[in-house]
Amino acid sequence: MKRIHTIFFSLSAMVALHSCGKPDYENKEFYKQEAYIISAESTSATEREISDFPAHTFVDTIKYLNAQYDSDTIIDTKTFVAQVKFKIGIGGSLPAAQDLRIVVGFDEESLEDYNILKNTTKKIPDPSAYTPSIPYNEKEKGFVVEIKKGASSASLIFDVPIERAKMSDYEDYAFSLKILRADNVPLSRQYTQFLIAGLLVTKDRTVNWSGFPIPKIPAGKYYSVQLAGNAGENSPDGRTRKYKYITPMSMTDDPLLNNKYIIWGTSAWSFEVFGFHSAGWMYNVLSLIDKDFGTYRVEPVLAGNTNFPAPTFAYSTVQQSSDNNFYDPRLKTLTVHYKNVIGQDYTDVLTFVSSDFTLDVVRSGWPAPQSWAEARSKGFNYWLPL
């Protein structure tokens, strides 16, 4: 009888639990709310500073006028506005139950520590150099950020006008912020300050041919700034390989392959040293994409591309295409931007040296090609200097 009663009460408890439906997890606080600050450009919550923040690039235009490559240079002097963005939030598992005021101020102490550690002279810019999205409150000695009821965060944005005449000034700008106090919510124990130091302003150039036929890129050997600067990896036998090679994908008038090239050697690695590395090749495709501006696309050969016998080397297959590459016929230089190669961007400048394609090969235990004939034997039936 006792066993029957036990079963009955157990079943009754199960029915009671079942009749309640699924547990109500809504409107429950599982994580404590704490006020925090982070940069919109940061990659993780634990990151507390960003150095050398890319702010703007001025792009000058070289306009070629005739077959002698006489040109005009159009200087980019437009004023640009860079935005330095911060996010102020309350964390937790629930939004704000009421309007919250969080006061954010400049953090001179953290900036001083940064300058000592980095041996720099960054400074918080004068208020005339920026416009905040929230006005500075003299009484509070900071920016009063309001997080509205039902929200979890709000933004504090500094608009910085970027002028070409002041390019060097922006490197010393620093926006070092900390939460001074908050109403009705405790401060985070770890994430109450953030520093953005150094706004990078750079110059670049593009070409506008205005209908004048752009020159063919000469096939041959090119001196590579990146290869020369990566001697540690490109000198397995004591001789630094400093050259990349460029070949047209067609030696005849082929509408599908005209203005398409192969760059042998990629990013900071030499074709002569690592040619067949990791079941991939040290090469990229270079294709003209804009005849008026003479810009070329650089892209890796990915696995599965049936137009090529092998992909670009394995570690580089996360590489993305770039479209702002150009050839200067007066200097015979090709500027190449490699994007996201093993998580890093590279800019290489290739200078034409000669039409000599002789390889300086590595012959002992290295994945390097011994000749162009060997490369061709692996599946290349055209666009090789043979």
Side-chain angles (χ1 to χ4, degrees):
M1 177 65 72
K2 182 177 181 181
R3 179 173 178 273
I4 294 174
H5 280 292
T6 301
I7 294 174
F8 173 78
F9 286 121
S10 298
L11 290 173
S12 299
M14 291 173 63
V15 170
L17 283 173
H18 181 72
S19 64
C20 292
K22 63 180 181 180
D24 179 15
Y25 292 120
E26 296 182 0
N27 301 318
K28 299 293 191 301
E29 184 178 54
F30 293 95
Y31 304 101
K32 183 180 179 181
Q33 288 183 341
E34 294 180 335
Y36 69 87
I37 184 172
I38 196 169
S39 165
E41 286 81 15
S42 63
T43 57
S44 69
T46 56
E47 185 179 33
R48 292 289 92 198
E49 68 182 42
I50 294 177
S51 299
D52 300 329
F53 172 73
H56 182 61
T57 298
F58 289 97
V59 181
D60 297 338
T61 300
I62 298 174
K63 187 173 181 179
Y64 285 107
L65 306 174
N66 52 42
Q68 286 71 47
Y69 306 132
D70 294 329
S71 65
D72 289 335
T73 300
I74 303 170
I75 305 298
D76 181 6
T77 57
K78 296 184 296 293
T79 298
F80 177 83
V81 177
Q83 290 193 320
V84 181
K85 302 177 182 179
F86 292 90
K87 175 183 175 182
I88 293 85
I90 57 172
S93 54
L94 295 176
Q98 57 185 311
D99 292 349
L100 299 176
R101 296 172 75 256
I102 299 176
V103 181
V104 177
F106 288 114
D107 186 359
E108 296 277 5
E109 183 178 353
S110 292
L111 181 56
E112 182 180 357
D113 291 343
Y114 176 92
N115 282 329
I116 293 173
L117 181 64
K118 305 283 187 177
N119 192 29
T120 56
T121 56
K122 310 296 185 188
K123 61 182 182 296
I124 296 170
D126 186 83
S128 62
Y130 61 83
T131 301
S133 60
I134 299 171
Y136 186 83
N137 188 309
E138 289 289 349
K139 181 179 179 181
E140 297 284 0
K141 299 300 179 185
F143 304 94
V144 180
V145 179
E146 294 187 358
I147 298 179
K148 296 296 185 181
K149 179 181 178 180
S152 297
S153 64
S155 297
L156 175 58
I157 301 172
F158 297 87
D159 288 344
V160 183
I162 304 295
E163 301 176 27
R164 182 160 184 152
K166 301 178 181 178
M167 281 181 59
S168 60
D169 296 349
Y170 305 111
E171 288 187 28
D172 288 333
Y173 282 15
F175 291 85
S176 181
L177 300 182
K178 67 178 178 181
I179 298 177
L180 302 179
R181 54 194 168 274
D183 295 344
N184 300 316
V185 61
L187 302 189
S188 169
R189 290 159 290 181
Q190 294 177 288
Y191 308 128
T192 55
Q193 62 82 31
F194 204 103
L195 169 66
I196 295 179
L199 306 185
L200 288 187
V201 181
T202 57
K203 290 186 294 185
D204 203 346
R205 61 178 180 171
T206 187
V207 175
N208 184 347
W209 290 90
S210 296
F212 184 77
I214 67 172
K216 292 286 186 180
I217 295 177
K221 177 189 294 185
Y222 286 73
Y223 177 85
S224 164
V225 171
Q226 278 291 345
L227 296 191
N230 190 28
E233 292 185 282
N234 292 310
S235 308
D237 53 3
R239 302 191 311 277
T240 303
R241 274 62 178 190
K242 304 175 183 178
Y243 304 105
K244 294 182 181 179
Y245 298 86
I246 295 181
T247 60
M249 288 180 61
S250 175
M251 302 300 291
T252 62
D253 185 17
D254 185 337
L256 296 178
L257 297 177
N258 286 343
N259 296 313
K260 291 180 179 289
Y261 304 84
I262 299 292
I263 301 178
W264 302 86
T266 184
S267 309
W269 297 279
S270 166
F271 175 70
E272 292 175 292
V273 175
F274 298 105
F276 312 141
H277 187 63
S278 297
W281 290 71
M282 287 289 166
Y283 64 4
N284 288 108
V285 178
L286 179 73
S287 308
L288 179 68
I289 58 172
D290 192 318
K291 291 183 178 181
D292 288 334
F293 284 87
T295 50
Y296 291 81
R297 174 173 296 144
V298 170
E299 56 190 327
V301 176
L302 301 180
N305 188 332
T306 57
N307 293 320
F308 296 88
T312 300
F313 85 114
Y315 293 134
S316 186
T317 52
V318 294
Q319 177 182 334
Q320 299 172 9
S321 299
S322 65
D323 292 344
N324 55 336
N325 311 282
F326 64 91
Y327 176 70
D328 186 331
R330 293 176 303 177
L331 302 176
K332 292 190 175 181
T333 59
L334 177 68
T335 301
V336 182
H337 299 288
Y338 296 98
K339 189 174 182 181
N340 194 36
V341 180
I342 318 180
Q344 185 173 347
D345 294 346
Y346 297 83
T347 296
D348 199 4
V349 177
L350 304 179
T351 304
F352 178 77
V353 175
S354 73
S355 57
D356 179 13
F357 282 93
T358 303
L359 296 176
D360 182 7
V361 299
V362 181
R363 297 187 180 278
S364 58
W366 213 263
Q370 302 304 299
S371 66
W372 290 106
E374 180 185 356
R376 184 168 188 171
S377 71
K378 294 181 180 293
F380 294 96
N381 296 316
Y382 52 96
W383 74 73
L384 279 179
L386 299 178

